[in-house]
Amino acid sequence: MNIRIEKTATPKTKPEASALGFGKYFTDHMFIMDYDPENGWHDARIVPFGSFEIHPASTVLHYGAEIFEGLKAYRRPDGKVQMFRPIENIRRMNDSAERLCLPQIPEDIAMEVLTAFVAHEADWTPSAPGTSLYLRPFMFGNDETLGLHTIQNARYMIIASPVGSYYKEGINPVRIMIESEDVRAVKGGTGYAKCGGNYAASNRAGMKAEQKGYSQVLWLDGVHRKYIEEVGAMNVMFMIDDEIVTPALTGSILPGITRKSCIEVLKNKGYKVSERLLSVDELGEALAQGKLKEAWGCGTAAVVSPIGELCYKDQVYKINDGKIGDVTQSLYDTLTGIQWGKIEDTYGWTYLVK
Ligand code: PLP
Ligand code: COI
Protein backbone atom coordinates (compact mmCIF):
# COMPACT_ATOMS: atom_id res chain seq x y z
CA MET A 1 0.00 0.00 0.00
CA ASN A 2 1.38 3.38 -0.96
CA ILE A 3 1.22 5.72 2.05
CA ARG A 4 1.57 9.43 1.40
CA ILE A 5 3.30 11.26 4.23
CA GLU A 6 2.73 14.90 5.08
CA LYS A 7 4.85 15.97 8.04
CA THR A 8 3.70 18.50 10.58
CA ALA A 9 5.38 21.91 10.45
CA THR A 10 4.71 22.42 14.16
CA PRO A 11 5.85 19.41 16.22
CA LYS A 12 4.51 19.44 19.77
CA THR A 13 6.46 19.24 23.01
CA LYS A 14 6.04 15.81 24.54
CA PRO A 15 4.31 15.78 27.93
CA GLU A 16 6.04 14.73 31.16
CA ALA A 17 5.32 11.11 32.14
CA SER A 18 3.68 12.25 35.39
CA ALA A 19 1.11 14.31 33.45
CA LEU A 20 0.00 11.57 31.05
CA GLY A 21 -3.15 9.98 32.51
CA PHE A 22 -5.17 8.34 29.73
CA GLY A 23 -6.04 9.70 26.27
CA LYS A 24 -5.36 13.39 26.92
CA TYR A 25 -2.37 13.93 24.62
CA PHE A 26 -1.96 12.96 20.99
CA THR A 27 1.07 12.47 18.78
CA ASP A 28 1.98 14.78 15.89
CA HIS A 29 0.34 12.75 13.13
CA MET A 30 -2.65 10.55 12.33
CA PHE A 31 -3.31 7.90 9.72
CA ILE A 32 -6.30 8.09 7.33
CA MET A 33 -7.55 5.98 4.44
CA ASP A 34 -10.89 5.96 2.68
CA TYR A 35 -13.12 3.30 1.19
CA ASP A 36 -15.60 3.26 -1.65
CA PRO A 37 -16.82 0.26 -3.67
CA GLU A 38 -15.08 1.39 -6.85
CA ASN A 39 -11.61 2.04 -5.41
CA GLY A 40 -11.65 -0.18 -2.32
CA TRP A 41 -9.35 1.12 0.42
CA HIS A 42 -7.39 3.99 -1.06
CA ASP A 43 -5.59 7.28 -0.44
CA ALA A 44 -3.66 6.03 2.60
CA ARG A 45 -1.92 8.96 4.26
CA ILE A 46 -0.13 10.02 7.40
CA VAL A 47 -0.95 13.68 7.99
CA PRO A 48 -0.58 16.21 10.82
CA PHE A 49 -2.88 15.39 13.76
CA GLY A 50 -5.89 17.66 13.84
CA SER A 51 -9.54 18.28 13.14
CA PHE A 52 -10.98 17.29 9.78
CA GLU A 53 -14.14 18.07 7.88
CA ILE A 54 -17.11 15.75 7.87
CA HIS A 55 -20.37 16.09 5.92
CA PRO A 56 -23.29 16.99 8.22
CA ALA A 57 -25.26 14.01 6.86
CA SER A 58 -22.39 11.52 7.30
CA THR A 59 -23.74 8.09 8.35
CA VAL A 60 -21.78 8.01 11.57
CA LEU A 61 -23.30 11.22 12.90
CA HIS A 62 -26.85 9.93 12.57
CA TYR A 63 -26.84 6.14 12.67
CA GLY A 64 -23.75 5.44 14.73
CA ALA A 65 -21.84 3.16 12.35
CA GLU A 66 -18.52 3.30 14.17
CA ILE A 67 -16.09 0.64 15.36
CA PHE A 68 -12.75 0.94 17.07
CA GLU A 69 -9.82 -0.90 18.54
CA GLY A 70 -7.37 -0.29 21.34
CA LEU A 71 -3.84 -1.66 21.52
CA LYS A 72 -0.51 -0.43 22.77
CA ALA A 73 3.09 0.06 21.70
CA TYR A 74 5.65 -0.36 24.48
CA ARG A 75 9.20 0.94 24.94
CA ARG A 76 11.46 -2.00 25.78
CA PRO A 77 14.49 -1.72 28.08
CA ASP A 78 16.73 -1.82 24.96
CA GLY A 79 14.93 1.26 23.59
CA LYS A 80 13.07 -0.60 20.82
CA VAL A 81 9.30 -0.30 20.38
CA GLN A 82 6.97 -3.30 20.19
CA MET A 83 3.22 -3.91 19.95
CA PHE A 84 1.27 -6.59 21.79
CA ARG A 85 -0.73 -9.06 19.67
CA PRO A 86 -1.68 -6.52 16.98
CA ILE A 87 -3.05 -9.19 14.64
CA GLU A 88 -5.71 -10.01 17.25
CA ASN A 89 -6.94 -6.41 17.17
CA ILE A 90 -6.98 -6.44 13.38
CA ARG A 91 -9.06 -9.62 13.35
CA ARG A 92 -11.46 -8.29 15.97
CA MET A 93 -11.84 -5.04 14.03
CA ASN A 94 -12.85 -7.07 10.98
CA ASP A 95 -15.36 -9.05 13.10
CA SER A 96 -16.80 -5.73 14.30
CA ALA A 97 -16.88 -4.46 10.71
CA GLU A 98 -18.77 -7.59 9.63
CA ARG A 99 -21.39 -7.00 12.35
CA LEU A 100 -21.95 -3.36 11.41
CA CYS A 101 -21.65 -3.92 7.63
CA LEU A 102 -18.61 -1.70 7.35
CA PRO A 103 -15.90 -2.74 4.87
CA GLN A 104 -13.26 -5.11 6.22
CA ILE A 105 -9.55 -4.41 5.75
CA PRO A 106 -7.39 -7.29 4.44
CA GLU A 107 -5.17 -8.37 7.35
CA ASP A 108 -1.90 -7.74 5.51
CA ILE A 109 -2.90 -4.18 4.62
CA ALA A 110 -4.18 -3.46 8.13
CA MET A 111 -0.91 -4.75 9.60
CA GLU A 112 1.20 -2.80 7.11
CA VAL A 113 -0.46 0.57 7.70
CA LEU A 114 -0.55 0.10 11.48
CA THR A 115 3.15 -0.76 11.61
CA ALA A 116 4.06 2.13 9.28
CA PHE A 117 2.10 4.59 11.40
CA VAL A 118 3.53 3.35 14.71
CA ALA A 119 7.07 3.44 13.27
CA HIS A 120 6.43 7.03 12.15
CA GLU A 121 5.24 8.08 15.64
CA ALA A 122 7.58 5.77 17.61
CA ASP A 123 9.43 8.66 19.27
CA TRP A 124 6.24 9.35 21.18
CA THR A 125 6.40 6.00 22.98
CA PRO A 126 7.20 6.97 26.58
CA SER A 127 9.67 4.98 28.65
CA ALA A 128 8.70 5.68 32.28
CA PRO A 129 7.41 2.61 34.18
CA GLY A 130 3.77 1.84 33.39
CA THR A 131 3.59 4.15 30.37
CA SER A 132 2.96 3.21 26.74
CA LEU A 133 1.69 4.55 23.43
CA TYR A 134 -2.03 3.75 23.19
CA LEU A 135 -3.14 3.15 19.61
CA ARG A 136 -6.71 3.81 18.60
CA PRO A 137 -7.66 2.53 15.13
CA PHE A 138 -11.27 3.37 14.24
CA MET A 139 -13.61 3.23 11.28
CA PHE A 140 -16.89 4.88 10.46
CA GLY A 141 -19.57 4.86 7.80
CA ASN A 142 -19.24 8.06 5.80
CA ASP A 143 -22.07 8.24 3.24
CA GLU A 144 -23.38 11.73 2.66
CA THR A 145 -27.09 10.98 2.81
CA LEU A 146 -29.80 10.58 5.43
CA GLY A 147 -31.26 7.49 3.73
CA LEU A 148 -30.84 4.26 5.66
CA HIS A 149 -29.09 1.83 3.36
CA THR A 150 -26.05 -0.44 3.04
CA ILE A 151 -22.93 1.59 3.76
CA GLN A 152 -20.89 2.43 0.66
CA ASN A 153 -18.25 4.87 1.90
CA ALA A 154 -16.12 4.54 4.99
CA ARG A 155 -13.06 6.09 6.58
CA TYR A 156 -10.40 4.31 8.64
CA MET A 157 -8.10 6.26 10.92
CA ILE A 158 -5.46 5.60 13.56
CA ILE A 159 -4.55 8.07 16.27
CA ALA A 160 -2.02 7.54 19.06
CA SER A 161 -1.81 8.82 22.60
CA PRO A 162 1.03 8.48 25.10
CA VAL A 163 -0.60 7.15 28.28
CA GLY A 164 0.02 6.27 31.90
CA SER A 165 -2.52 4.35 33.96
CA TYR A 166 -6.18 4.30 32.98
CA TYR A 167 -7.57 4.47 36.51
CA LYS A 168 -6.44 7.17 38.89
CA GLU A 169 -5.90 4.32 41.37
CA GLY A 170 -3.09 2.90 39.16
CA ILE A 171 -2.47 -0.70 40.25
CA ASN A 172 -4.43 -0.11 43.48
CA PRO A 173 -7.82 -1.82 43.68
CA VAL A 174 -10.78 -0.10 42.03
CA ARG A 175 -14.37 0.07 43.29
CA ILE A 176 -16.99 -1.27 40.89
CA MET A 177 -20.79 -0.99 40.93
CA ILE A 178 -22.93 -3.88 39.68
CA GLU A 179 -25.67 -2.38 37.52
CA SER A 180 -29.14 -3.79 38.11
CA GLU A 181 -31.31 -1.61 35.81
CA ASP A 182 -29.69 -0.67 32.51
CA VAL A 183 -28.23 -3.35 30.26
CA ARG A 184 -25.34 -2.90 27.86
CA ALA A 185 -25.97 -5.58 25.24
CA VAL A 186 -27.82 -8.80 24.49
CA LYS A 187 -26.96 -11.87 22.46
CA GLY A 188 -27.78 -11.12 18.83
CA GLY A 189 -26.96 -7.46 19.36
CA THR A 190 -23.55 -5.84 19.10
CA GLY A 191 -22.05 -6.74 22.50
CA TYR A 192 -19.20 -8.77 21.01
CA ALA A 193 -18.29 -6.02 18.56
CA LYS A 194 -16.19 -3.08 19.60
CA CYS A 195 -18.54 -0.37 18.42
CA GLY A 196 -19.13 3.11 19.78
CA GLY A 197 -22.84 2.44 20.31
CA ASN A 198 -22.12 -0.10 23.07
CA TYR A 199 -20.35 2.60 25.01
CA ALA A 200 -23.09 5.16 24.38
CA ALA A 201 -25.61 2.66 25.81
CA SER A 202 -23.42 2.43 28.90
CA ASN A 203 -23.26 6.14 29.64
CA ARG A 204 -26.23 6.43 31.98
CA ALA A 205 -25.15 3.63 34.31
CA GLY A 206 -21.54 4.81 34.15
CA MET A 207 -22.59 8.30 35.21
CA LYS A 208 -24.62 6.91 38.13
CA ALA A 209 -21.64 4.82 39.25
CA GLU A 210 -19.29 7.80 39.06
CA GLN A 211 -21.69 9.93 41.07
CA LYS A 212 -21.55 7.30 43.82
CA GLY A 213 -17.75 7.28 43.73
CA TYR A 214 -17.29 4.05 41.75
CA SER A 215 -14.85 3.73 38.87
CA GLN A 216 -17.03 1.72 36.53
CA VAL A 217 -20.08 -0.49 36.09
CA LEU A 218 -20.13 -4.30 36.11
CA TRP A 219 -22.83 -5.40 33.68
CA LEU A 220 -25.24 -8.27 34.16
CA ASP A 221 -26.71 -10.17 31.21
CA GLY A 222 -29.64 -8.45 29.52
CA VAL A 223 -32.06 -11.40 29.56
CA HIS A 224 -31.95 -12.91 33.06
CA ARG A 225 -30.28 -9.90 34.65
CA LYS A 226 -28.26 -12.24 36.80
CA TYR A 227 -25.14 -13.46 35.01
CA ILE A 228 -21.95 -11.42 35.30
CA GLU A 229 -20.78 -10.08 31.94
CA GLU A 230 -17.98 -7.49 31.95
CA VAL A 231 -16.98 -4.06 33.20
CA GLY A 232 -17.23 -0.86 31.11
CA ALA A 233 -13.69 -1.08 29.77
CA MET A 234 -12.47 -4.51 30.82
CA ASN A 235 -13.31 -8.20 31.18
CA VAL A 236 -13.48 -9.66 34.68
CA MET A 237 -12.04 -12.67 36.53
CA PHE A 238 -12.87 -14.00 39.99
CA MET A 239 -10.89 -16.44 42.08
CA ILE A 240 -13.40 -18.60 43.93
CA ASP A 241 -11.53 -21.10 46.13
CA ASP A 242 -8.93 -22.43 43.70
CA GLU A 243 -10.99 -21.89 40.54
CA ILE A 244 -10.54 -18.78 38.44
CA VAL A 245 -13.86 -18.00 36.80
CA THR A 246 -14.41 -15.63 33.91
CA PRO A 247 -17.70 -15.14 32.05
CA ALA A 248 -17.96 -17.25 28.90
CA LEU A 249 -18.06 -15.47 25.54
CA THR A 250 -21.79 -15.75 24.97
CA GLY A 251 -22.03 -13.06 22.29
CA SER A 252 -22.89 -10.09 24.46
CA ILE A 253 -19.42 -9.35 25.85
CA LEU A 254 -16.23 -8.23 24.18
CA PRO A 255 -13.76 -11.06 23.49
CA GLY A 256 -10.88 -9.24 25.15
CA ILE A 257 -7.35 -9.85 23.96
CA THR A 258 -6.04 -9.28 27.49
CA ARG A 259 -8.65 -11.79 28.76
CA LYS A 260 -7.46 -14.38 26.25
CA SER A 261 -3.82 -13.71 27.19
CA CYS A 262 -4.56 -13.89 30.95
CA ILE A 263 -6.31 -17.25 30.50
CA GLU A 264 -3.24 -18.66 28.74
CA VAL A 265 -0.79 -17.24 31.29
CA LEU A 266 -2.90 -18.50 34.24
CA LYS A 267 -3.29 -21.99 32.77
CA ASN A 268 0.46 -22.05 32.18
CA LYS A 269 1.02 -21.17 35.82
CA GLY A 270 -1.09 -24.21 36.71
CA TYR A 271 -4.35 -22.52 37.73
CA LYS A 272 -7.74 -23.97 36.93
CA VAL A 273 -9.53 -21.43 34.71
CA SER A 274 -13.22 -21.83 33.81
CA GLU A 275 -15.02 -19.83 31.15
CA ARG A 276 -18.59 -20.26 32.25
CA LEU A 277 -21.76 -18.58 33.43
CA LEU A 278 -21.33 -16.94 36.84
CA SER A 279 -24.42 -15.55 38.52
CA VAL A 280 -24.42 -12.62 40.86
CA ASP A 281 -26.00 -14.95 43.47
CA GLU A 282 -23.10 -17.40 43.20
CA LEU A 283 -20.72 -14.50 43.61
CA GLY A 284 -22.66 -13.28 46.68
CA GLU A 285 -22.57 -16.76 48.23
CA ALA A 286 -18.85 -17.09 47.55
CA LEU A 287 -18.33 -13.74 49.26
CA ALA A 288 -20.48 -14.69 52.26
CA GLN A 289 -18.61 -17.98 52.69
CA GLY A 290 -15.20 -16.34 52.35
CA LYS A 291 -14.52 -18.24 49.13
CA LEU A 292 -14.09 -15.22 46.88
CA LYS A 293 -10.36 -14.71 47.25
CA GLU A 294 -9.58 -12.18 44.52
CA ALA A 295 -11.22 -10.31 41.66
CA TRP A 296 -9.67 -8.30 38.86
CA GLY A 297 -10.46 -6.74 35.53
CA CYS A 298 -8.30 -7.01 32.43
CA GLY A 299 -8.08 -4.90 29.31
CA THR A 300 -5.62 -3.02 27.14
CA ALA A 301 -6.18 0.34 28.82
CA ALA A 302 -6.84 -1.11 32.28
CA VAL A 303 -4.04 -3.77 32.06
CA VAL A 304 -4.74 -6.05 35.09
CA SER A 305 -6.72 -4.07 37.61
CA PRO A 306 -7.58 -5.49 41.06
CA ILE A 307 -11.18 -5.01 42.20
CA GLY A 308 -11.28 -4.14 45.88
CA GLU A 309 -14.97 -3.47 46.32
CA LEU A 310 -18.25 -4.37 44.65
CA CYS A 311 -21.54 -2.61 45.25
CA TYR A 312 -24.81 -4.37 44.34
CA LYS A 313 -28.20 -2.82 45.10
CA ASP A 314 -26.60 -0.53 47.72
CA GLN A 315 -24.87 -3.42 49.53
CA VAL A 316 -21.11 -3.02 49.65
CA TYR A 317 -18.80 -6.05 49.50
CA LYS A 318 -15.06 -5.83 50.18
CA ILE A 319 -12.77 -8.27 48.38
CA ASN A 320 -9.43 -9.37 49.86
CA ASP A 321 -9.70 -6.49 52.37
CA GLY A 322 -9.56 -4.04 49.49
CA LYS A 323 -5.98 -5.09 48.69
CA ILE A 324 -4.37 -6.55 45.58
CA GLY A 325 -4.12 -10.36 45.83
CA ASP A 326 -1.12 -12.58 45.07
CA VAL A 327 -2.61 -14.11 41.91
CA THR A 328 -3.59 -10.69 40.53
CA GLN A 329 -0.10 -9.36 41.26
CA SER A 330 1.66 -12.32 39.66
CA LEU A 331 -0.58 -12.12 36.58
CA TYR A 332 0.11 -8.38 36.32
CA ASP A 333 3.85 -8.94 36.62
CA THR A 334 3.96 -11.66 33.95
CA LEU A 335 1.72 -9.90 31.44
CA THR A 336 3.33 -6.48 31.79
CA GLY A 337 6.77 -8.13 31.81
CA ILE A 338 6.04 -9.57 28.36
CA GLN A 339 4.41 -6.38 27.08
CA TRP A 340 7.29 -4.12 28.09
CA GLY A 341 9.89 -6.65 26.94
CA LYS A 342 11.25 -7.21 30.45
CA ILE A 343 10.72 -10.96 30.44
CA GLU A 344 11.05 -13.43 27.60
CA ASP A 345 7.98 -13.70 25.38
CA THR A 346 7.64 -17.47 25.10
CA TYR A 347 4.17 -17.05 23.53
CA GLY A 348 5.21 -15.09 20.43
CA TRP A 349 2.81 -12.27 21.31
CA THR A 350 5.05 -9.27 20.81
CA TYR A 351 5.67 -7.59 17.45
CA LEU A 352 8.79 -5.47 16.99
CA VAL A 353 8.13 -2.16 15.23
CA LYS A 354 11.57 -0.53 15.33
N1 PLP B 1 -14.59 -5.13 27.51
C1 PLP B 1 -14.81 -3.87 27.09
C2 PLP B 1 -16.20 -3.37 27.08
C3 PLP B 1 -13.74 -3.07 26.66
O1 PLP B 1 -13.94 -1.81 26.23
C4 PLP B 1 -12.44 -3.61 26.68
C5 PLP B 1 -11.31 -2.80 26.22
O2 PLP B 1 -10.88 -2.89 25.13
C6 PLP B 1 -12.26 -4.93 27.12
C7 PLP B 1 -13.36 -5.66 27.53
C8 PLP B 1 -10.91 -5.57 27.10
O3 PLP B 1 -10.50 -5.90 25.79
P1 PLP B 1 -8.97 -5.93 25.39
O4 PLP B 1 -8.30 -6.78 26.38
O5 PLP B 1 -8.95 -6.51 24.03
O6 PLP B 1 -8.47 -4.54 25.43
C1 COI C 1 -9.19 -0.41 25.64
O1 COI C 1 -8.81 -0.95 26.67
O2 COI C 1 -8.50 -0.39 24.62
C2 COI C 1 -10.48 0.25 25.57
O3 COI C 1 -11.02 0.30 24.50
C3 COI C 1 -11.04 0.89 26.73
C4 COI C 1 -11.66 2.19 26.37
C5 COI C 1 -13.12 2.07 26.33
C6 COI C 1 -11.18 3.28 27.27
Side-chain angles (χ1 to χ4, degrees), residues 171-173 294 304 306 319-320 322-326 328-330 332:
I171 178 71
N172 296 317
E294 298 184 33
V304 172
I319 302 169
N320 196 36
K323 295 199 226 57
I324 183 166
D326 294 344
T328 314
Q329 184 72 59
S330 125
Y332 177 89

Side-chain angles (χ1 to χ4, degrees), residues 173-174 176 218 234-240 244-245 278 283 287 292-298 304-310 318-320 323-325 327-329:
V174 291
I176 300 287
L218 175 57
M234 51 190 194
N235 295 109
V236 276
M237 299 190 171
F238 300 91
M239 182 141 184
I240 302 176
I244 294 168
V245 185
L278 171 65
L283 200 60
L287 261 161
L292 180 61
K293 302 281 166 30
E294 298 184 33
W296 63 88
C298 53
V304 172
S305 216
I307 299 175
E309 185 181 314
L310 285 174
K318 274 250 182 292
I319 302 169
N320 196 36
K323 295 199 226 57
I324 183 166
V327 179
T328 314
Q329 184 72 59

